[in-house]
Amino acid sequence: MGWIDNRIAEYYQWLKDNIAIREDKGTGWFSVSTPFVGLFNDNIEIFVKKESDTKILLSDDGETIEYLFLSGVDVLRSQKRKDYMQKVANNFGIKITSEGEIVTESNGADFARKMNNFMSAISSISDMSRLSNDKRSGA
């Protein structure tokens, strides 16, 4: 099992080396730029704020749904798309605000799991870009 342990350790190190954290002084929010690529081939960014010892907020600041809209997918217009997003939200324990912001809370002890679920939710919702009807191609 030594070889797989080494590969997993390399993956953890790669994650650590490719995450950039920037503090927004005065607001308490931190921007966490991840190595994962988003819809426009940019790094997915998550915003994190510690409210108390037992409450950490995670947000995408509305970027995921805004990027979908900019790519031609208005997920807030279609009931089917809203239903799909609600299923994603339920599966990953996140919320989508009426303004289109993806959010979740951590109690601190579950931060790693919440962060992973948050990234998975953003990725799943971003995949909705494939649902757009491209009328130019005849599809």
Side-chain angles (χ1 to χ4, degrees):
M1 281 226 302
W3 70 267
I4 190 68
D5 291 333
N6 291 338
R7 298 295 79 86
I8 296 297
E10 288 172 5
Y11 177 65
Y12 291 152
Q13 190 61 51
W14 175 82
L15 278 175
K16 187 176 179 182
D17 292 345
N18 288 282
I19 289 179
I21 302 169
R22 184 179 42 85
E23 182 179 6
D24 184 10
K25 301 236 187 259
T27 66
W29 284 96
F30 288 83
S31 165
V32 179
S33 179
T34 73
F36 304 107
V37 178
L39 191 56
F40 291 129
N41 209 29
D42 57 340
N43 293 75
I44 294 174
E45 199 169 22
I46 295 175
F47 303 92
V48 181
K49 182 177 186 178
K50 184 175 182 180
E51 290 279 300
S52 70
D53 287 340
T54 59
K55 185 177 179 182
I56 300 171
L57 306 176
L58 289 88
S59 169
D60 80 331
D61 199 31
E63 289 181 357
T64 305
I65 291 174
E66 178 66 19
Y67 288 174
L68 282 168
F69 181 77
L70 292 173
S71 69
V73 181
D74 187 353
V75 295
L76 300 178
R77 179 192 58 152
S78 159
Q79 190 58 48
K80 275 188 171 181
R81 291 176 181 168
K82 286 182 192 175
D83 291 346
Y84 175 80
M85 282 197 315
Q86 190 56 54
K87 284 181 185 177
V88 170
N90 293 344
N91 284 342
F92 292 109
I94 55 119
K95 294 178 185 160
I96 302 167
T97 69
S98 58
E99 294 82 25
E101 181 181 9
I102 299 172
V103 296
T104 195
E105 285 183 18
S106 164
N107 61 22
D110 65 355
F111 182 79
R113 183 177 56 80
K114 290 286 190 163
M115 180 75 152
N116 189 68
N117 285 355
F118 198 71
M119 288 299 308
S120 296
I122 288 173
S123 180
S124 292
I125 291 170
S126 292
D127 283 346
M128 292 177 72
S129 66
R130 299 171 195 201
L131 300 176
S132 86
N133 292 328
D134 189 353
K135 300 197 183 350
R136 293 167 296 177
S137 69

